[in-house]
Amino acid sequence: MDLVAQRPLVIFSKTNCCMSDSIKILFYGFGANPAIYELDELQNGQQLERELVALGQWPIVPAVFIGGKIVGGPNEIMSLHVKGELVKMLKKNRIIYL
């Protein structure tokens, strides 16, 4: 997925998904500036959804990529956050400088 390689933090989302909103707010709270792709607003959104499913992403959104690698959805992101690992990942990939 070329879109993932373009930025260190990428979130695939849908405009009507409250979990996507929560994950975006979490990253904004760290001062991160993610690339956000709203699948329901993109012409190729359905194709991107199929690619995410092929990667094993379920539920499809939100899907978070850090440093070009899929990290997962809301459960994985919140688990990393609670363990204190999410900030470390963001610092390691030069997404935030806390």
Side-chain angles (χ1 to χ4, degrees):
M1 295 174 65
D2 293 333
L3 295 175
V4 172
Q6 295 175 12
R7 298 278 295 278
L9 176 57
V10 177
I11 302 172
F12 290 93
S13 176
K14 286 191 177 180
T15 56
N16 62 349
C17 175
C18 63
M19 288 308 296
S20 292
D21 291 341
S22 297
I23 294 301
K24 288 184 273 188
I25 289 168
L26 176 68
F27 284 109
Y28 289 140
F30 292 132
N33 185 21
I36 298 174
Y37 298 100
E38 300 289 356
L39 297 177
D40 54 341
E41 293 181 343
L42 296 172
Q43 186 174 11
N44 63 338
Q46 290 181 342
Q47 173 62 34
L48 292 171
E49 284 186 47
R50 288 190 290 275
E51 291 181 31
L52 290 168
V53 170
L55 290 173
Q57 179 63 32
W58 190 259
I60 298 169
V61 294
V64 177
F65 290 77
I66 297 176
K69 296 179 181 149
I70 189 163
V71 177
N75 291 340
E76 292 82 8
I77 296 301
M78 292 311 294
S79 177
L80 288 167
H81 180 46
V82 168
K83 293 178 194 174
E85 297 296 319
L86 185 58
V87 169
K88 291 177 188 176
M89 288 178 75
L90 296 174
K91 286 180 180 179
K92 179 182 175 188
N93 287 280
R94 299 179 182 175
I95 297 167
I96 61 171
Y97 301 97
L98 296 174

